[in-house]
Amino acid sequence: GAVLLRHFRSRPAPATGVVRAVNREQARRIAADVRHGRFAFLGKPAVALPADLAWDEDPYGLRSWNWSLHVMAYVADLAAVSRETGDTALLERAEALVLDWIGDHPPDRADDGQHGMAWD
């Protein structure tokens, strides 16, 4: 968490249009869900997933739902709410998710039959 916290406190502002705008109310809702292992995409109800994601979770049988899990737009929400509230546990959660994804999908194995959404 400390590394992400330093990064988000010291980084220059991203260029306009590079990072999606974060709706504060929506970000708070998403951050609360993700903090507790619940993920919601495509207007579907939030689903509780295990702490150690397999990254092939697809509770609604929709490839787009799983793709949304891999895209990790929720990391921006966790960071925005952490920045607003000072709650570093949100950055720790973001860091854990990113590191888990990297651990499960190392770049040197991108072509060896890993889950299809990982490198889409």
Side-chain angles (χ1 to χ4, degrees), residues 19-22 26-27 30-31 34 39-41 55 67-80 94 97-98:
V19 176
R20 71 173 171 80
V22 174
Q26 181 180 355
I30 291 168
V34 173
F39 296 83
F41 309 114
W55 297 99
W67 182 79
S68 297
L69 182 66
H70 284 270
V71 168
M72 291 193 205
Y74 45 84
V75 168
D77 297 308
L78 290 165
L97 287 162
V98 170

mmCIF file with all atom_site columns, all heavy atoms in Angstrom, residues 19-22 26-27 30-31 34 39-41 55 67-80 94 97-98:
data_model
loop_
_atom_site.group_PDB
_atom_site.id
_atom_site.type_symbol
_atom_site.label_atom_id
_atom_site.label_alt_id
_atom_site.label_comp_id
_atom_site.label_asym_id
_atom_site.label_entity_id
_atom_site.label_seq_id
_atom_site.pdbx_PDB_ins_code
_atom_site.Cartn_x
_atom_site.Cartn_y
_atom_site.Cartn_z
_atom_site.occupancy
_atom_site.B_iso_or_equiv
_atom_site.pdbx_formal_charge
_atom_site.auth_seq_id
_atom_site.auth_comp_id
_atom_site.auth_asym_id
_atom_site.auth_atom_id
_atom_site.pdbx_PDB_model_num
ATOM 1   N N   . VAL A 1 19 ? -7.160  9.077   -18.485 1.00 0.00 ? 19 VAL A N   1
ATOM 2   C CA  . VAL A 1 19 ? -7.791  8.307   -17.420 1.00 0.00 ? 19 VAL A CA  1
ATOM 3   C C   . VAL A 1 19 ? -9.246  8.747   -17.339 1.00 0.00 ? 19 VAL A C   1
ATOM 4   O O   . VAL A 1 19 ? -9.543  9.937   -17.367 1.00 0.00 ? 19 VAL A O   1
ATOM 5   C CB  . VAL A 1 19 ? -7.088  8.556   -16.068 1.00 0.00 ? 19 VAL A CB  1
ATOM 6   C CG1 . VAL A 1 19 ? -7.786  7.830   -14.943 1.00 0.00 ? 19 VAL A CG1 1
ATOM 7   C CG2 . VAL A 1 19 ? -5.631  8.145   -16.150 1.00 0.00 ? 19 VAL A CG2 1
ATOM 8   N N   . ARG A 1 20 ? -10.139 7.782   -17.246 1.00 0.00 ? 20 ARG A N   1
ATOM 9   C CA  . ARG A 1 20 ? -11.554 8.127   -17.203 1.00 0.00 ? 20 ARG A CA  1
ATOM 10  C C   . ARG A 1 20 ? -11.856 8.981   -15.977 1.00 0.00 ? 20 ARG A C   1
ATOM 11  O O   . ARG A 1 20 ? -11.219 8.836   -14.936 1.00 0.00 ? 20 ARG A O   1
ATOM 12  C CB  . ARG A 1 20 ? -12.411 6.875   -17.223 1.00 0.00 ? 20 ARG A CB  1
ATOM 13  C CG  . ARG A 1 20 ? -12.356 6.072   -15.933 1.00 0.00 ? 20 ARG A CG  1
ATOM 14  C CD  . ARG A 1 20 ? -13.367 4.940   -15.971 1.00 0.00 ? 20 ARG A CD  1
ATOM 15  N NE  . ARG A 1 20 ? -13.205 4.028   -14.877 1.00 0.00 ? 20 ARG A NE  1
ATOM 16  C CZ  . ARG A 1 20 ? -13.657 4.241   -13.639 1.00 0.00 ? 20 ARG A CZ  1
ATOM 17  N NH1 . ARG A 1 20 ? -14.291 5.334   -13.340 1.00 0.00 ? 20 ARG A NH1 1
ATOM 18  N NH2 . ARG A 1 20 ? -13.468 3.335   -12.694 1.00 0.00 ? 20 ARG A NH2 1
ATOM 19  N N   . ALA A 1 21 ? -12.822 9.851   -16.113 1.00 0.00 ? 21 ALA A N   1
ATOM 20  C CA  . ALA A 1 21 ? -13.255 10.658  -14.976 1.00 0.00 ? 21 ALA A CA  1
ATOM 21  C C   . ALA A 1 21 ? -13.895 9.734   -13.946 1.00 0.00 ? 21 ALA A C   1
ATOM 22  O O   . ALA A 1 21 ? -14.577 8.777   -14.299 1.00 0.00 ? 21 ALA A O   1
ATOM 23  C CB  . ALA A 1 21 ? -14.251 11.706  -15.442 1.00 0.00 ? 21 ALA A CB  1
ATOM 24  N N   . VAL A 1 22 ? -13.653 10.022  -12.691 1.00 0.00 ? 22 VAL A N   1
ATOM 25  C CA  . VAL A 1 22 ? -14.203 9.206   -11.615 1.00 0.00 ? 22 VAL A CA  1
ATOM 26  C C   . VAL A 1 22 ? -15.370 9.956   -10.991 1.00 0.00 ? 22 VAL A C   1
ATOM 27  O O   . VAL A 1 22 ? -15.209 11.070  -10.508 1.00 0.00 ? 22 VAL A O   1
ATOM 28  C CB  . VAL A 1 22 ? -13.130 8.892   -10.551 1.00 0.00 ? 22 VAL A CB  1
ATOM 29  C CG1 . VAL A 1 22 ? -13.728 8.165   -9.367  1.00 0.00 ? 22 VAL A CG1 1
ATOM 30  C CG2 . VAL A 1 22 ? -12.003 8.080   -11.167 1.00 0.00 ? 22 VAL A CG2 1
ATOM 31  N N   . GLN A 1 26 ? -20.251 7.204   -7.285  1.00 0.00 ? 26 GLN A N   1
ATOM 32  C CA  . GLN A 1 26 ? -20.107 5.857   -7.833  1.00 0.00 ? 26 GLN A CA  1
ATOM 33  C C   . GLN A 1 26 ? -18.811 5.213   -7.339  1.00 0.00 ? 26 GLN A C   1
ATOM 34  O O   . GLN A 1 26 ? -18.784 4.033   -6.997  1.00 0.00 ? 26 GLN A O   1
ATOM 35  C CB  . GLN A 1 26 ? -20.119 5.926   -9.354  1.00 0.00 ? 26 GLN A CB  1
ATOM 36  C CG  . GLN A 1 26 ? -19.999 4.586   -10.033 1.00 0.00 ? 26 GLN A CG  1
ATOM 37  C CD  . GLN A 1 26 ? -20.009 4.725   -11.559 1.00 0.00 ? 26 GLN A CD  1
ATOM 38  O OE1 . GLN A 1 26 ? -20.188 5.806   -12.117 1.00 0.00 ? 26 GLN A OE1 1
ATOM 39  N NE2 . GLN A 1 26 ? -19.817 3.621   -12.233 1.00 0.00 ? 26 GLN A NE2 1
ATOM 40  N N   . ALA A 1 27 ? -17.737 5.990   -7.282  1.00 0.00 ? 27 ALA A N   1
ATOM 41  C CA  . ALA A 1 27 ? -16.451 5.465   -6.822  1.00 0.00 ? 27 ALA A CA  1
ATOM 42  C C   . ALA A 1 27 ? -16.543 4.981   -5.380  1.00 0.00 ? 27 ALA A C   1
ATOM 43  O O   . ALA A 1 27 ? -15.988 3.934   -5.037  1.00 0.00 ? 27 ALA A O   1
ATOM 44  C CB  . ALA A 1 27 ? -15.365 6.525   -6.952  1.00 0.00 ? 27 ALA A CB  1
ATOM 45  N N   . ILE A 1 30 ? -18.378 1.629   -5.449  1.00 0.00 ? 30 ILE A N   1
ATOM 46  C CA  . ILE A 1 30 ? -17.527 0.585   -6.015  1.00 0.00 ? 30 ILE A CA  1
ATOM 47  C C   . ILE A 1 30 ? -16.412 0.222   -5.042  1.00 0.00 ? 30 ILE A C   1
ATOM 48  O O   . ILE A 1 30 ? -16.135 -0.957  -4.810  1.00 0.00 ? 30 ILE A O   1
ATOM 49  C CB  . ILE A 1 30 ? -16.962 1.028   -7.375  1.00 0.00 ? 30 ILE A CB  1
ATOM 50  C CG1 . ILE A 1 30 ? -18.087 1.087   -8.410  1.00 0.00 ? 30 ILE A CG1 1
ATOM 51  C CG2 . ILE A 1 30 ? -15.836 0.094   -7.840  1.00 0.00 ? 30 ILE A CG2 1
ATOM 52  C CD1 . ILE A 1 30 ? -17.711 1.778   -9.707  1.00 0.00 ? 30 ILE A CD1 1
ATOM 53  N N   . ALA A 1 31 ? -15.785 1.229   -4.444  1.00 0.00 ? 31 ALA A N   1
ATOM 54  C CA  . ALA A 1 31 ? -14.694 0.969   -3.500  1.00 0.00 ? 31 ALA A CA  1
ATOM 55  C C   . ALA A 1 31 ? -15.185 0.161   -2.301  1.00 0.00 ? 31 ALA A C   1
ATOM 56  O O   . ALA A 1 31 ? -14.502 -0.757  -1.839  1.00 0.00 ? 31 ALA A O   1
ATOM 57  C CB  . ALA A 1 31 ? -14.069 2.281   -3.043  1.00 0.00 ? 31 ALA A CB  1
ATOM 58  N N   . VAL A 1 34 ? -15.641 -3.477  -3.598  1.00 0.00 ? 34 VAL A N   1
ATOM 59  C CA  . VAL A 1 34 ? -14.385 -4.166  -3.883  1.00 0.00 ? 34 VAL A CA  1
ATOM 60  C C   . VAL A 1 34 ? -13.596 -4.422  -2.596  1.00 0.00 ? 34 VAL A C   1
ATOM 61  O O   . VAL A 1 34 ? -12.972 -5.468  -2.451  1.00 0.00 ? 34 VAL A O   1
ATOM 62  C CB  . VAL A 1 34 ? -13.553 -3.389  -4.928  1.00 0.00 ? 34 VAL A CB  1
ATOM 63  C CG1 . VAL A 1 34 ? -12.170 -4.001  -5.109  1.00 0.00 ? 34 VAL A CG1 1
ATOM 64  C CG2 . VAL A 1 34 ? -14.297 -3.347  -6.263  1.00 0.00 ? 34 VAL A CG2 1
ATOM 65  N N   . PHE A 1 39 ? -17.930 -7.607  -6.657  1.00 0.00 ? 39 PHE A N   1
ATOM 66  C CA  . PHE A 1 39 ? -17.671 -6.965  -7.940  1.00 0.00 ? 39 PHE A CA  1
ATOM 67  C C   . PHE A 1 39 ? -18.959 -6.905  -8.743  1.00 0.00 ? 39 PHE A C   1
ATOM 68  O O   . PHE A 1 39 ? -19.697 -7.894  -8.812  1.00 0.00 ? 39 PHE A O   1
ATOM 69  C CB  . PHE A 1 39 ? -16.614 -7.762  -8.724  1.00 0.00 ? 39 PHE A CB  1
ATOM 70  C CG  . PHE A 1 39 ? -15.276 -7.775  -8.045  1.00 0.00 ? 39 PHE A CG  1
ATOM 71  C CD1 . PHE A 1 39 ? -15.007 -8.683  -7.034  1.00 0.00 ? 39 PHE A CD1 1
ATOM 72  C CD2 . PHE A 1 39 ? -14.293 -6.875  -8.407  1.00 0.00 ? 39 PHE A CD2 1
ATOM 73  C CE1 . PHE A 1 39 ? -13.780 -8.703  -6.390  1.00 0.00 ? 39 PHE A CE1 1
ATOM 74  C CE2 . PHE A 1 39 ? -13.061 -6.878  -7.771  1.00 0.00 ? 39 PHE A CE2 1
ATOM 75  C CZ  . PHE A 1 39 ? -12.807 -7.799  -6.761  1.00 0.00 ? 39 PHE A CZ  1
ATOM 76  N N   . ALA A 1 40 ? -19.219 -5.753  -9.352  1.00 0.00 ? 40 ALA A N   1
ATOM 77  C CA  . ALA A 1 40 ? -20.422 -5.561  -10.164 1.00 0.00 ? 40 ALA A CA  1
ATOM 78  C C   . ALA A 1 40 ? -20.029 -4.894  -11.478 1.00 0.00 ? 40 ALA A C   1
ATOM 79  O O   . ALA A 1 40 ? -19.348 -3.874  -11.479 1.00 0.00 ? 40 ALA A O   1
ATOM 80  C CB  . ALA A 1 40 ? -21.434 -4.698  -9.418  1.00 0.00 ? 40 ALA A CB  1
ATOM 81  N N   . PHE A 1 41 ? -20.463 -5.500  -12.569 1.00 0.00 ? 41 PHE A N   1
ATOM 82  C CA  . PHE A 1 41 ? -20.197 -4.953  -13.898 1.00 0.00 ? 41 PHE A CA  1
ATOM 83  C C   . PHE A 1 41 ? -21.441 -5.115  -14.758 1.00 0.00 ? 41 PHE A C   1
ATOM 84  O O   . PHE A 1 41 ? -22.281 -5.989  -14.509 1.00 0.00 ? 41 PHE A O   1
ATOM 85  C CB  . PHE A 1 41 ? -19.032 -5.695  -14.579 1.00 0.00 ? 41 PHE A CB  1
ATOM 86  C CG  . PHE A 1 41 ? -17.787 -5.802  -13.742 1.00 0.00 ? 41 PHE A CG  1
ATOM 87  C CD1 . PHE A 1 41 ? -17.348 -7.037  -13.302 1.00 0.00 ? 41 PHE A CD1 1
ATOM 88  C CD2 . PHE A 1 41 ? -17.060 -4.684  -13.384 1.00 0.00 ? 41 PHE A CD2 1
ATOM 89  C CE1 . PHE A 1 41 ? -16.199 -7.164  -12.535 1.00 0.00 ? 41 PHE A CE1 1
ATOM 90  C CE2 . PHE A 1 41 ? -15.917 -4.784  -12.608 1.00 0.00 ? 41 PHE A CE2 1
ATOM 91  C CZ  . PHE A 1 41 ? -15.483 -6.021  -12.189 1.00 0.00 ? 41 PHE A CZ  1
ATOM 92  N N   . TRP A 1 55 ? -9.307  -15.315 -11.611 1.00 0.00 ? 55 TRP A N   1
ATOM 93  C CA  . TRP A 1 55 ? -9.400  -14.426 -12.759 1.00 0.00 ? 55 TRP A CA  1
ATOM 94  C C   . TRP A 1 55 ? -10.180 -15.037 -13.918 1.00 0.00 ? 55 TRP A C   1
ATOM 95  O O   . TRP A 1 55 ? -10.231 -14.466 -14.996 1.00 0.00 ? 55 TRP A O   1
ATOM 96  C CB  . TRP A 1 55 ? -8.025  -13.917 -13.208 1.00 0.00 ? 55 TRP A CB  1
ATOM 97  C CG  . TRP A 1 55 ? -7.397  -13.110 -12.122 1.00 0.00 ? 55 TRP A CG  1
ATOM 98  C CD1 . TRP A 1 55 ? -6.448  -13.548 -11.235 1.00 0.00 ? 55 TRP A CD1 1
ATOM 99  C CD2 . TRP A 1 55 ? -7.707  -11.768 -11.751 1.00 0.00 ? 55 TRP A CD2 1
ATOM 100 N NE1 . TRP A 1 55 ? -6.153  -12.546 -10.347 1.00 0.00 ? 55 TRP A NE1 1
ATOM 101 C CE2 . TRP A 1 55 ? -6.904  -11.437 -10.640 1.00 0.00 ? 55 TRP A CE2 1
ATOM 102 C CE3 . TRP A 1 55 ? -8.585  -10.810 -12.259 1.00 0.00 ? 55 TRP A CE3 1
ATOM 103 C CZ2 . TRP A 1 55 ? -6.954  -10.194 -10.028 1.00 0.00 ? 55 TRP A CZ2 1
ATOM 104 C CZ3 . TRP A 1 55 ? -8.625  -9.574  -11.647 1.00 0.00 ? 55 TRP A CZ3 1
ATOM 105 C CH2 . TRP A 1 55 ? -7.816  -9.269  -10.543 1.00 0.00 ? 55 TRP A CH2 1
ATOM 106 N N   . TRP A 1 67 ? -14.193 -9.877  -18.674 1.00 0.00 ? 67 TRP A N   1
ATOM 107 C CA  . TRP A 1 67 ? -13.270 -8.894  -19.239 1.00 0.00 ? 67 TRP A CA  1
ATOM 108 C C   . TRP A 1 67 ? -13.205 -7.672  -18.336 1.00 0.00 ? 67 TRP A C   1
ATOM 109 O O   . TRP A 1 67 ? -12.129 -7.146  -18.069 1.00 0.00 ? 67 TRP A O   1
ATOM 110 C CB  . TRP A 1 67 ? -13.723 -8.532  -20.654 1.00 0.00 ? 67 TRP A CB  1
ATOM 111 C CG  . TRP A 1 67 ? -12.807 -7.564  -21.331 1.00 0.00 ? 67 TRP A CG  1
ATOM 112 C CD1 . TRP A 1 67 ? -11.616 -7.834  -21.928 1.00 0.00 ? 67 TRP A CD1 1
ATOM 113 C CD2 . TRP A 1 67 ? -13.014 -6.162  -21.471 1.00 0.00 ? 67 TRP A CD2 1
ATOM 114 N NE1 . TRP A 1 67 ? -11.069 -6.678  -22.442 1.00 0.00 ? 67 TRP A NE1 1
ATOM 115 C CE2 . TRP A 1 67 ? -11.909 -5.643  -22.167 1.00 0.00 ? 67 TRP A CE2 1
ATOM 116 C CE3 . TRP A 1 67 ? -14.032 -5.290  -21.082 1.00 0.00 ? 67 TRP A CE3 1
ATOM 117 C CZ2 . TRP A 1 67 ? -11.785 -4.294  -22.486 1.00 0.00 ? 67 TRP A CZ2 1
ATOM 118 C CZ3 . TRP A 1 67 ? -13.907 -3.952  -21.390 1.00 0.00 ? 67 TRP A CZ3 1
ATOM 119 C CH2 . TRP A 1 67 ? -12.798 -3.464  -22.089 1.00 0.00 ? 67 TRP A CH2 1
ATOM 120 N N   . SER A 1 68 ? -14.349 -7.247  -17.805 1.00 0.00 ? 68 SER A N   1
ATOM 121 C CA  . SER A 1 68 ? -14.388 -6.092  -16.903 1.00 0.00 ? 68 SER A CA  1
ATOM 122 C C   . SER A 1 68 ? -13.580 -6.361  -15.634 1.00 0.00 ? 68 SER A C   1
ATOM 123 O O   . SER A 1 68 ? -12.947 -5.445  -15.097 1.00 0.00 ? 68 SER A O   1
ATOM 124 C CB  . SER A 1 68 ? -15.829 -5.749  -16.537 1.00 0.00 ? 68 SER A CB  1
ATOM 125 O OG  . SER A 1 68 ? -16.558 -5.367  -17.680 1.00 0.00 ? 68 SER A OG  1
ATOM 126 N N   . LEU A 1 69 ? -13.597 -7.591  -15.163 1.00 0.00 ? 69 LEU A N   1
ATOM 127 C CA  . LEU A 1 69 ? -12.786 -7.955  -13.997 1.00 0.00 ? 69 LEU A CA  1
ATOM 128 C C   . LEU A 1 69 ? -11.309 -7.747  -14.315 1.00 0.00 ? 69 LEU A C   1
ATOM 129 O O   . LEU A 1 69 ? -10.565 -7.178  -13.513 1.00 0.00 ? 69 LEU A O   1
ATOM 130 C CB  . LEU A 1 69 ? -13.063 -9.414  -13.612 1.00 0.00 ? 69 LEU A CB  1
ATOM 131 C CG  . LEU A 1 69 ? -12.345 -9.958  -12.383 1.00 0.00 ? 69 LEU A CG  1
ATOM 132 C CD1 . LEU A 1 69 ? -12.820 -9.254  -11.113 1.00 0.00 ? 69 LEU A CD1 1
ATOM 133 C CD2 . LEU A 1 69 ? -12.577 -11.463 -12.267 1.00 0.00 ? 69 LEU A CD2 1
ATOM 134 N N   . HIS A 1 70 ? -10.874 -8.160  -15.504 1.00 0.00 ? 70 HIS A N   1
ATOM 135 C CA  . HIS A 1 70 ? -9.480  -8.023  -15.910 1.00 0.00 ? 70 HIS A CA  1
ATOM 136 C C   . HIS A 1 70 ? -9.085  -6.576  -16.186 1.00 0.00 ? 70 HIS A C   1
ATOM 137 O O   . HIS A 1 70 ? -7.929  -6.213  -15.960 1.00 0.00 ? 70 HIS A O   1
ATOM 138 C CB  . HIS A 1 70 ? -9.204  -8.864  -17.166 1.00 0.00 ? 70 HIS A CB  1
ATOM 139 C CG  . HIS A 1 70 ? -9.081  -10.324 -16.898 1.00 0.00 ? 70 HIS A CG  1
ATOM 140 N ND1 . HIS A 1 70 ? -7.886  -10.930 -16.600 1.00 0.00 ? 70 HIS A ND1 1
ATOM 141 C CD2 . HIS A 1 70 ? -10.004 -11.308 -16.879 1.00 0.00 ? 70 HIS A CD2 1
ATOM 142 C CE1 . HIS A 1 70 ? -8.073  -12.226 -16.418 1.00 0.00 ? 70 HIS A CE1 1
ATOM 143 N NE2 . HIS A 1 70 ? -9.363  -12.478 -16.579 1.00 0.00 ? 70 HIS A NE2 1
ATOM 144 N N   . VAL A 1 71 ? -10.000 -5.765  -16.659 1.00 0.00 ? 71 VAL A N   1
ATOM 145 C CA  . VAL A 1 71 ? -9.690  -4.371  -16.992 1.00 0.00 ? 71 VAL A CA  1
ATOM 146 C C   . VAL A 1 71 ? -9.303  -3.573  -15.742 1.00 0.00 ? 71 VAL A C   1
ATOM 147 O O   . VAL A 1 71 ? -8.476  -2.676  -15.792 1.00 0.00 ? 71 VAL A O   1
ATOM 148 C CB  . VAL A 1 71 ? -10.884 -3.710  -17.723 1.00 0.00 ? 71 VAL A CB  1
ATOM 149 C CG1 . VAL A 1 71 ? -10.722 -2.209  -17.825 1.00 0.00 ? 71 VAL A CG1 1
ATOM 150 C CG2 . VAL A 1 71 ? -11.034 -4.314  -19.103 1.00 0.00 ? 71 VAL A CG2 1
ATOM 151 N N   . MET A 1 72 ? -9.905  -3.927  -14.624 1.00 0.00 ? 72 MET A N   1
ATOM 152 C CA  . MET A 1 72 ? -9.593  -3.321  -13.319 1.00 0.00 ? 72 MET A CA  1
ATOM 153 C C   . MET A 1 72 ? -9.878  -1.825  -13.229 1.00 0.00 ? 72 MET A C   1
ATOM 154 O O   . MET A 1 72 ? -9.147  -1.083  -12.584 1.00 0.00 ? 72 MET A O   1
ATOM 155 C CB  . MET A 1 72 ? -8.137  -3.574  -12.927 1.00 0.00 ? 72 MET A CB  1
ATOM 156 C CG  . MET A 1 72 ? -7.810  -4.982  -12.610 1.00 0.00 ? 72 MET A CG  1
ATOM 157 S SD  . MET A 1 72 ? -6.196  -5.043  -11.811 1.00 0.00 ? 72 MET A SD  1
ATOM 158 C CE  . MET A 1 72 ? -5.718  -6.687  -12.204 1.00 0.00 ? 72 MET A CE  1
ATOM 159 N N   . ALA A 1 73 ? -10.949 -1.364  -13.855 1.00 0.00 ? 73 ALA A N   1
ATOM 160 C CA  . ALA A 1 73 ? -11.320 0.044   -13.718 1.00 0.00 ? 73 ALA A CA  1
ATOM 161 C C   . ALA A 1 73 ? -11.574 0.394   -12.257 1.00 0.00 ? 73 ALA A C   1
ATOM 162 O O   . ALA A 1 73 ? -11.408 1.544   -11.841 1.00 0.00 ? 73 ALA A O   1
ATOM 163 C CB  . ALA A 1 73 ? -12.550 0.354   -14.566 1.00 0.00 ? 73 ALA A CB  1
ATOM 164 N N   . TYR A 1 74 ? -11.940 -0.598  -11.468 1.00 0.00 ? 74 TYR A N   1
ATOM 165 C CA  . TYR A 1 74 ? -12.211 -0.388  -10.046 1.00 0.00 ? 74 TYR A CA  1
ATOM 166 C C   . TYR A 1 74 ? -10.967 0.065   -9.279  1.00 0.00 ? 74 TYR A C   1
ATOM 167 O O   . TYR A 1 74 ? -11.074 0.671   -8.219  1.00 0.00 ? 74 TYR A O   1
ATOM 168 C CB  . TYR A 1 74 ? -12.811 -1.651  -9.406  1.00 0.00 ? 74 TYR A CB  1
ATOM 169 C CG  . TYR A 1 74 ? -12.112 -2.928  -9.785  1.00 0.00 ? 74 TYR A CG  1
ATOM 170 C CD1 . TYR A 1 74 ? -10.986 -3.353  -9.120  1.00 0.00 ? 74 TYR A CD1 1
ATOM 171 C CD2 . TYR A 1 74 ? -12.592 -3.689  -10.846 1.00 0.00 ? 74 TYR A CD2 1
ATOM 172 C CE1 . TYR A 1 74 ? -10.338 -4.522  -9.486  1.00 0.00 ? 74 TYR A CE1 1
ATOM 173 C CE2 . TYR A 1 74 ? -11.956 -4.858  -11.215 1.00 0.00 ? 74 TYR A CE2 1
ATOM 174 C CZ  . TYR A 1 74 ? -10.819 -5.275  -10.536 1.00 0.00 ? 74 TYR A CZ  1
ATOM 175 O OH  . TYR A 1 74 ? -10.183 -6.429  -10.911 1.00 0.00 ? 74 TYR A OH  1
ATOM 176 N N   . VAL A 1 75 ? -9.779  -0.174  -9.808  1.00 0.00 ? 75 VAL A N   1
ATOM 177 C CA  . VAL A 1 75 ? -8.554  0.287   -9.149  1.00 0.00 ? 75 VAL A CA  1
ATOM 178 C C   . VAL A 1 75 ? -8.523  1.811   -9.107  1.00 0.00 ? 75 VAL A C   1
ATOM 179 O O   . VAL A 1 75 ? -8.118  2.405   -8.114  1.00 0.00 ? 75 VAL A O   1
ATOM 180 C CB  . VAL A 1 75 ? -7.298  -0.310  -9.825  1.00 0.00 ? 75 VAL A CB  1
ATOM 181 C CG1 . VAL A 1 75 ? -6.021  0.378   -9.352  1.00 0.00 ? 75 VAL A CG1 1
ATOM 182 C CG2 . VAL A 1 75 ? -7.220  -1.811  -9.562  1.00 0.00 ? 75 VAL A CG2 1
ATOM 183 N N   . ALA A 1 76 ? -8.984  2.458   -10.177 1.00 0.00 ? 76 ALA A N   1
ATOM 184 C CA  . ALA A 1 76 ? -9.049  3.925   -10.189 1.00 0.00 ? 76 ALA A CA  1
ATOM 185 C C   . ALA A 1 76 ? -10.025 4.429   -9.131  1.00 0.00 ? 76 ALA A C   1
ATOM 186 O O   . ALA A 1 76 ? -9.779  5.451   -8.488  1.00 0.00 ? 76 ALA A O   1
ATOM 187 C CB  . ALA A 1 76 ? -9.464  4.422   -11.573 1.00 0.00 ? 76 ALA A CB  1
ATOM 188 N N   . ASP A 1 77 ? -11.121 3.701   -8.935  1.00 0.00 ? 77 ASP A N   1
ATOM 189 C CA  . ASP A 1 77 ? -12.090 4.092   -7.907  1.00 0.00 ? 77 ASP A CA  1
ATOM 190 C C   . ASP A 1 77 ? -11.491 3.928   -6.515  1.00 0.00 ? 77 ASP A C   1
ATOM 191 O O   . ASP A 1 77 ? -11.654 4.792   -5.653  1.00 0.00 ? 77 ASP A O   1
ATOM 192 C CB  . ASP A 1 77 ? -13.373 3.270   -8.051  1.00 0.00 ? 77 ASP A CB  1
ATOM 193 C CG  . ASP A 1 77 ? -14.069 3.534   -9.370  1.00 0.00 ? 77 ASP A CG  1
ATOM 194 O OD1 . ASP A 1 77 ? -14.308 4.709   -9.691  1.00 0.00 ? 77 ASP A OD1 1
ATOM 195 O OD2 . ASP A 1 77 ? -14.349 2.566   -10.090 1.00 0.00 ? 77 ASP A OD2 1
ATOM 196 N N   . LEU A 1 78 ? -10.798 2.824   -6.282  1.00 0.00 ? 78 LEU A N   1
ATOM 197 C CA  . LEU A 1 78 ? -10.147 2.613   -4.988  1.00 0.00 ? 78 LEU A CA  1
ATOM 198 C C   . LEU A 1 78 ? -9.137  3.733   -4.714  1.00 0.00 ? 78 LEU A C   1
ATOM 199 O O   . LEU A 1 78 ? -9.092  4.276   -3.609  1.00 0.00 ? 78 LEU A O   1
ATOM 200 C CB  . LEU A 1 78 ? -9.441  1.252   -4.956  1.00 0.00 ? 78 LEU A CB  1
ATOM 201 C CG  . LEU A 1 78 ? -10.343 0.028   -4.922  1.00 0.00 ? 78 LEU A CG  1
ATOM 202 C CD1 . LEU A 1 78 ? -9.542  -1.230  -5.264  1.00 0.00 ? 78 LEU A CD1 1
ATOM 203 C CD2 . LEU A 1 78 ? -11.025 -0.127  -3.581  1.00 0.00 ? 78 LEU A CD2 1
ATOM 204 N N   . ALA A 1 79 ? -8.353  4.085   -5.720  1.00 0.00 ? 79 ALA A N   1
ATOM 205 C CA  . ALA A 1 79 ? -7.350  5.142   -5.553  1.00 0.00 ? 79 ALA A CA  1
ATOM 206 C C   . ALA A 1 79 ? -8.006  6.498   -5.308  1.00 0.00 ? 79 ALA A C   1
ATOM 207 O O   . ALA A 1 79 ? -7.569  7.265   -4.443  1.00 0.00 ? 79 ALA A O   1
ATOM 208 C CB  . ALA A 1 79 ? -6.443  5.205   -6.782  1.00 0.00 ? 79 ALA A CB  1
ATOM 209 N N   . ALA A 1 80 ? -9.058  6.797   -6.046  1.00 0.00 ? 80 ALA A N   1
ATOM 210 C CA  . ALA A 1 80 ? -9.728  8.095   -5.892  1.00 0.00 ? 80 ALA A CA  1
ATOM 211 C C   . ALA A 1 80 ? -10.344 8.237   -4.504  1.00 0.00 ? 80 ALA A C   1
ATOM 212 O O   . ALA A 1 80 ? -10.223 9.291   -3.866  1.00 0.00 ? 80 ALA A O   1
ATOM 213 C CB  . ALA A 1 80 ? -10.809 8.255   -6.963  1.00 0.00 ? 80 ALA A CB  1
ATOM 214 N N   . ALA A 1 94 ? -6.180  -2.323  -3.692  1.00 0.00 ? 94 ALA A N   1
ATOM 215 C CA  . ALA A 1 94 ? -5.848  -2.150  -5.110  1.00 0.00 ? 94 ALA A CA  1
ATOM 216 C C   . ALA A 1 94 ? -4.519  -2.825  -5.425  1.00 0.00 ? 94 ALA A C   1
ATOM 217 O O   . ALA A 1 94 ? -4.399  -3.559  -6.416  1.00 0.00 ? 94 ALA A O   1
ATOM 218 C CB  . ALA A 1 94 ? -5.788  -0.665  -5.457  1.00 0.00 ? 94 ALA A CB  1
ATOM 219 N N   . LEU A 1 97 ? -4.828  -6.640  -5.486  1.00 0.00 ? 97 LEU A N   1
ATOM 220 C CA  . LEU A 1 97 ? -5.489  -7.123  -6.702  1.00 0.00 ? 97 LEU A CA  1
ATOM 221 C C   . LEU A 1 97 ? -4.546  -7.077  -7.906  1.00 0.00 ? 97 LEU A C   1
ATOM 222 O O   . LEU A 1 97 ? -4.457  -8.032  -8.678  1.00 0.00 ? 97 LEU A O   1
ATOM 223 C CB  . LEU A 1 97 ? -6.757  -6.315  -6.981  1.00 0.00 ? 97 LEU A CB  1
ATOM 224 C CG  . LEU A 1 97 ? -7.917  -6.613  -6.043  1.00 0.00 ? 97 LEU A CG  1
ATOM 225 C CD1 . LEU A 1 97 ? -8.955  -5.502  -6.099  1.00 0.00 ? 97 LEU A CD1 1
ATOM 226 C CD2 . LEU A 1 97 ? -8.548  -7.965  -6.384  1.00 0.00 ? 97 LEU A CD2 1
ATOM 227 N N   . VAL A 1 98 ? -3.844  -5.967  -8.057  1.00 0.00 ? 98 VAL A N   1
ATOM 228 C CA  . VAL A 1 98 ? -2.921  -5.829  -9.188  1.00 0.00 ? 98 VAL A CA  1
ATOM 229 C C   . VAL A 1 98 ? -1.794  -6.859  -9.086  1.00 0.00 ? 98 VAL A C   1
ATOM 230 O O   . VAL A 1 98 ? -1.464  -7.532  -10.069 1.00 0.00 ? 98 VAL A O   1
ATOM 231 C CB  . VAL A 1 98 ? -2.362  -4.392  -9.269  1.00 0.00 ? 98 VAL A CB  1
ATOM 232 C CG1 . VAL A 1 98 ? -1.225  -4.300  -10.271 1.00 0.00 ? 98 VAL A CG1 1
ATOM 233 C CG2 . VAL A 1 98 ? -3.471  -3.401  -9.623  1.00 0.00 ? 98 VAL A CG2 1
#
